[in-house]
Amino acid sequence: MNRFTPPPFRGPLAGLKVLELGSDISVAFGARLLSDLGAEVVKVEPPEGDALRAEAPLTARGESALFAYLNRGKALVSVDAAGAGGRELLGDLAGQCDLVLATDAALRDGTENCTRRPATLVVSGQGLTGPGTGRPSSSFIQQHASGFAFHQASPVTDPEATPPVGCADFEGDMAGGLVVAIAALWAVEAADGARPGPLVDLSHEDLLVYMLVEPFADWQAGMDVTDRRRDPGKGLTIAGGLVWYLPCADGAVMVSPREDHQWARWCEVMGHPDWTQDASLCGDRVVRTANAARLQELMARWSTTQRNRDVVEAAKQARVACFPVSTPRDLIENVQLRARRFFDEVRFADGTALPMPALPFRFITQSGEEMARGGERPAPGKAGDGGDLLDTLLAGRGGAPKRSAVGGM
Amino acid sequence: MNPLALEGIRVVDFSWVMAGPMTTKMLGAMGAEIIKIESSTRPEFSVRDGMFSVINNNKKSCTLNITTPEGQELIRELVRSSHVVVENFSSRVLAKYGLSYDMLREIKPDIIFVSASGMGRTGPEKDLLAYGSLLQGYSGRVGMIGEPNAALEAMGILPAWTDPITALWETTAILAAIRHWRKTGQGAYVDLSMLEATVALLPEALLHAALGRDVPEPRSTTETGAAPSGCFRCAGEDNWLALSVRTDAEWRGLCRAMADADLDGQPFAATAEARLAAKDELNARVAGWLRSRDARSIEAALQAEGVPASRSRHMAEIVADPHMRERVMFRDIGGETQMATLPWLADEGWRGAFAPTPAIGQDNDYVFGTLLGLSAERRAALAEAGTIR
């Protein structure tokens, strides 16, 4: 690089310094998003390491792939908050940053009363205030307490046989990470440099409630949201006859031939153009909705003899909205995701390289600088690898960190 | 501290359905001025009941026919004095009506242009018709929730997921772009894929697959690494209790709360490993014991013993919950209960600005008169011609 070469584009948040405290998937993911967008994130771990380092799946050498997904790109430092000078050190670190993201427990152990603390986002199960704080909880339990699980199993034909059901995978925690990132970006702007900065109270339970747009709208409209039993008068499929789930010989597809012209083309795909002549079976959208269960049975007789990729391809040619129900392996190999360089290759110390999702958007500045996607990135190292950065940050306070409080340096 | 951190930012909002409107509702709650471009001839705008009113707070509404050259000229004028454009058109519509990023940046070089589409604006599948419900299948999450069934019940189709989480990604990207613009004066183009937005939240499945392994248990029905763990039927109509035991301390709490079930005396009681190995049996014992118990009282007993547990609650109960009320998650405004416009709580109970959903075209005079400087006569003529409608 010569002196005329501009530095590479690090992202829109370049220059933002963030301190992450505590072990929580939402906090870690939110901080990682800020890091992906160019912020400098310092993650503090206890001397024994973040508990999420043990979370499955592990590579052959015992490194957590999930921990890597949540923490790649961050500077990792090890601080014993309970050790001599630990609390003071965390306060100094916080004072050097623009933003602190913390669990409630980590905040109490560290920077809560630090006067130079910047805007601080505190993440907890049920919030910092309110008569129901501190209930023993977990991600799974929060999905039931917030109403998400109840409404995700509503309406159903037989409530007795269909328990409330939570989100897939770590979705509840990951959505929490998105809210952490949003609240953090709001807080840093709203605080405008004030010290001590405002404490922003973010509860897992609240944010799941916030996602329940339709159940709240139904409640607001005076509908009975306590009864999960399906009203047969409203059609027999979940989306009122607009979307069908069809098992195939090797998986399943979802198809949505909504308009009459789409339905006619879909019948051609299935080899049953004659169906369109049967007005009582599928004359129009209203009739198809009323007959949704019967039509599903008829279509499934055909689809179970087909491979899902063949069904999807034929539907695509006929301009009918139809997609496979993907397996995780399908997603890793998906041509659209690959073409958009959605997966980064994250390389571990033992040489293992795993595809991991990048940010789900391309970000290009007005002058044409584009945030990188789909490249190779190192997995996070050991706690304490960020010791140099810690030194740099703390140089501003006029002294070296106390070694008794800092590990890995 | 100024909670209205986006004051001075004007957003032209072409979005419809759910993801875009939820995004601009959040931006409006942070103080941005949202100009929602609508059309009284399209039912998705003219029918404003149900969900529409929950996700369209904090906006100004104007009605404009963007298919006419006059309408497109007015949009270009509006963009000239704005900072952000949010859209979820098809690629064809964008180009046809002169609303693409390349066209609008000629008028406003530092515009932040945010496009949300099913597949993204590049790649071999960019033009495929993709509804949110189908994307939940394509992303794989439908196959990870509940039990497969022909009617798609309890498989994650409802309530909407892909749309709200797309809104969260979109808001993140816009806030980052605004910060960047404030620091550097540079605008940006954001091309967001709803498929990617959904897939990025499924790391456990993807990482296991990448290592050639299967996910041990579906997290939609149980907590991995906890035993017992699940959602169990209690006495009364449709009453369910979720509980999860992860540690020895929680196990001892469970044994105390269920003292008459003799869990402690069973062979699996000794260690967490033994309990995990006997998870099915343990869950069956808990299910049998809870079936005749009152959910509310056993929930209180379990929580008092330190066991993570909660009834599976519904929205009516959430809205009435004193905890939610004290946290200002819901409040009564003008005789109607409203949900907070932002999902976090700041000083003095601040939960985001709130203005009710506008009537369609409510702000035509402000947008076309005050902002664009058109005279009353000119506005009347444009309305007569069907451009403002």
Side-chain angles (χ1 to χ4, degrees):
Chain A
M1 183 190 295
N2 63 41
R3 67 196 176 93
F4 299 110
T5 306
F9 181 57
R10 291 198 51 211
L13 300 183
L16 185 71
K17 291 191 176 68
V18 181
L19 181 66
E20 178 193 332
L21 304 171
S23 179
D24 179 275
I25 291 178
S26 298
V27 172
F29 189 51
R32 200 214 85 198
L33 300 181
L34 301 181
S35 165
D36 281 2
L37 288 162
E40 196 168 31
V41 177
V42 178
K43 176 187 177 76
V44 174
E45 295 185 79
E48 68 275 19
D50 185 339
L52 289 167
R53 284 183 180 272
E55 193 69 44
L58 305 179
T59 65
R61 294 278 185 87
E63 290 189 74
S64 167
L66 183 76
F67 183 83
Y69 183 59
L70 297 172
N71 294 295
R72 65 182 195 226
K74 300 176 187 174
L76 305 171
V77 302
S78 175
V79 176
D80 180 7
R87 192 175 286 240
E88 182 196 358
L89 178 57
L90 289 179
D92 286 344
L93 264 177
Q96 298 295 317
C97 291
D98 304 302
L99 190 64
V100 173
L101 310 181
T103 60
D104 53 341
L107 187 78
R108 280 194 300 273
D109 290 344
T111 58
E112 188 169 17
N113 298 315
C114 166
T115 53
R116 292 196 302 126
R117 181 179 50 71
T120 299
L121 192 67
V122 192
V123 179
S124 60
Q126 301 103 9
L128 301 177
T129 63
T133 55
R135 278 169 275 147
S137 192
S138 72
S139 174
F140 180 73
I141 300 302
Q142 284 148 10
Q143 293 179 36
H144 289 269
S146 65
F148 207 95
F150 185 93
H151 291 290
Q152 198 160 240
S154 178
V156 293
T157 306
D158 183 3
E160 194 65 37
T162 318
V165 65
C167 294
D169 209 285
F170 284 109
E171 282 181 328
D173 305 273
M174 306 299 282
L178 284 164
V179 177
V180 165
I182 294 168
L185 290 173
W186 165 82
V188 78
E189 297 290 319
D192 197 22
R195 310 272 168 149
L199 277 183
V200 181
D201 175 357
L202 179 55
S203 121
H204 283 292
E205 205 170 275
D206 290 359
L207 70 91
L208 288 167
V209 170
Y210 187 78
M211 304 286 279
L212 291 172
V213 171
E214 298 107 312
F216 178 68
D218 289 347
W219 177 86
Q220 217 179 24
M223 293 164 65
D224 180 4
V225 294
T226 70
D227 187 359
R228 294 194 296 134
R229 191 174 299 279
R230 177 183 297 288
D231 177 356
K234 291 186 177 171
L236 282 168
T237 71
I238 197 89
L242 296 178
V243 176
W244 276 281
Y245 174 84
L246 298 178
C248 297
D250 60 345
V253 298
M254 286 170 65
V255 62
S256 187
R258 302 182 175 203
E259 309 298 335
D260 290 344
H261 60 93
Q262 293 165 339
W263 176 255
R265 294 198 299 272
W266 175 238
C267 287
E268 293 268 358
V269 167
M270 294 186 291
H272 289 291
D274 50 307
W275 287 3
T276 57
Q277 305 303 311
D278 187 344
S280 65
L281 180 68
C282 53
D284 61 20
R285 196 153 142 170
V286 175
V287 175
R288 292 195 290 276
T289 298
N291 291 336
R294 169 81 182 126
L295 285 168
Q296 200 277 340
E297 278 178 35
L298 291 171
M299 290 190 281
R301 280 183 207 163
W302 166 79
S303 66
T304 48
T305 66
Q306 309 290 314
R307 294 193 316 163
N308 69 357
R309 73 192 66 179
D310 296 335
V311 173
V312 169
E313 186 53 37
K316 193 189 292 183
Q317 297 301 323
R319 288 172 288 116
V320 172
C322 177
F323 292 94
V325 175
S326 302
T327 65
R329 170 55 59 187
D330 294 339
L331 294 169
I332 290 170
E333 295 167 355
N334 182 283
V335 291
Q336 175 69 7
L337 297 176
R338 286 284 170 189
R340 283 174 56 83
R341 300 175 60 78
F342 175 57
F343 291 105
D344 292 328
E345 287 291 314
V346 175
R347 190 169 290 281
F348 291 79
D350 64 7
T352 307
L354 297 178
M356 297 194 189
L359 292 174
F361 49 80
R362 296 163 56 233
F363 189 108
I364 305 161
T365 68
Q366 176 188 342
S367 53
E369 298 163 311
E370 180 163 359
M371 285 184 57
R373 282 172 31 127
E376 186 171 310
R377 309 185 63 164
K382 300 186 295 294
D385 280 2
D388 291 347
L389 178 68
L390 187 66
D391 277 343
T392 308
L393 274 171
L394 292 174
R397 74 170 188 168
K402 289 187 173 66
R403 289 204 169 266
S404 57
V406 182
M409 295 182 66
Chain B
M1 170 161 165
N2 175 19
L4 300 177
L6 299 186
E7 262 181 345
I9 298 289
R10 182 174 296 143
V11 180
V12 178
D13 180 8
F14 291 109
S15 71
W16 47 297
V17 190
M18 193 172 186
M22 251 184 112
T23 302
T24 51
K25 166 207 174 129
M26 294 181 88
L27 300 176
M30 297 177 216
E33 181 180 67
I34 313 297
I35 310 289
K36 188 174 176 67
I37 311 294
E38 307 198 74
S39 169
S40 54
T41 61
R42 302 199 51 162
E44 58 267 30
F45 295 127
S46 55
V47 178
R48 297 171 103 73
D49 57 356
M51 184 176 80
F52 190 97
S53 68
V54 180
I55 57 176
N56 282 292
N57 312 124
N58 300 319
K59 297 176 191 179
K60 295 186 166 83
S61 165
C62 69
T63 52
L64 191 61
N65 182 356
I66 61 166
T67 67
T68 66
E70 295 80 10
Q72 290 155 22
E73 186 50 38
L74 291 176
I75 287 296
R76 283 192 280 273
E77 277 305 306
L78 188 57
V79 167
R80 204 185 299 279
S81 69
S82 300
H83 307 89
V84 181
V85 169
V86 174
E87 62 87 11
N88 61 341
F89 289 121
S90 70
S91 306
R92 188 181 56 80
V93 168
L94 274 178
K96 185 174 172 188
Y97 298 136
L99 302 173
S100 68
Y101 175 61
D102 284 340
M103 291 161 167
L104 293 184
R105 69 186 295 197
E106 286 177 13
I107 298 154
K108 172 80 173 167
D110 61 342
I111 195 74
I112 294 167
F113 186 100
V114 184
S115 166
S117 58
M119 303 294 171
R121 297 292 186 199
T122 61
E125 297 183 347
K126 66 184 166 69
D127 293 321
L128 287 190
L129 186 58
Y131 305 112
S133 51
L134 296 186
L135 288 173
Q136 307 212 77
Y138 197 30
S139 71
R141 74 181 299 267
V142 158
M144 303 175 198
I145 298 177
E147 297 293 331
N149 65 90
L152 282 167
E153 292 180 352
M155 289 176 69
I157 302 294
L158 290 176
W161 176 261
T162 288
D163 280 81
I165 60 107
T166 295
L168 298 180
W169 282 114
E170 203 168 349
T171 306
T172 305
I174 292 172
L175 289 175
I178 289 174
R179 182 177 169 85
H180 185 243
W181 174 80
R182 282 176 165 168
K183 296 260 179 215
T184 66
Q186 285 265 311
Y189 171 70
V190 177
D191 161 20
L192 191 153
S193 151
M194 296 175 77
L195 174 66
E196 293 171 11
T198 313
V199 173
L201 306 191
L202 301 169
E204 185 179 45
L206 292 168
L207 296 172
H208 274 82
L211 285 161
R213 300 176 204 157
D214 292 326
V215 169
E217 295 176 290
R219 285 185 186 268
S220 66
T221 53
T222 191
E223 185 155 346
T224 305
S229 173
C231 180
F232 303 97
R233 185 79 165 84
C234 295
E237 194 176 340
D238 205 20
N239 289 325
W240 301 82
L241 183 96
L243 68 83
S244 253
V245 172
R246 302 161 299 180
T247 65
D248 286 339
E250 290 167 1
W251 168 250
R252 289 191 293 274
L254 180 78
C255 292
R256 287 192 296 273
M258 294 177 57
D260 58 340
D262 189 29
L263 292 176
D264 239 354
Q266 302 303 319
F268 48 68
T271 64
E273 290 71 28
R275 295 194 294 274
L276 281 171
K279 184 166 180 174
D280 289 347
E281 184 190 346
L282 198 41
N283 276 350
R285 282 175 182 268
V286 169
W289 190 84
L290 283 171
R291 185 64 185 85
S292 59
R293 298 299 201 284
D294 174 64
R296 199 175 286 268
S297 51
I298 193 65
E299 175 191 61
L302 286 167
Q303 289 179 355
E305 294 290 357
V307 180
S310 174
R311 285 170 300 120
S312 210
R313 303 195 296 172
H314 49 64
M315 185 53 77
E317 190 174 352
I318 306 282
V319 175
D321 182 355
H323 180 69
M324 287 284 156
R325 288 288 173 155
E326 187 170 316
R327 292 181 58 72
V328 210
M329 193 62 200
F330 300 94
R331 57 187 175 141
D332 297 323
I333 301 171
E336 192 168 32
T337 302
Q338 301 291 350
M339 191 193 278
T341 53
L342 292 172
W344 61 82
L345 180 62
D347 288 351
E348 297 171 8
W350 192 82
R351 279 279 192 179
F354 177 87
T357 294
I360 189 163
Q362 174 184 297
D363 302 291
N364 278 349
D365 287 348
Y366 168 74
V367 174
F368 301 117
T370 309
L371 292 184
L372 298 188
L374 302 183
S375 67
E377 293 74 22
R378 178 75 180 130
R379 298 198 309 265
L382 285 167
E384 180 69 22
T387 301
I388 296 175
R389 61 170 189 182

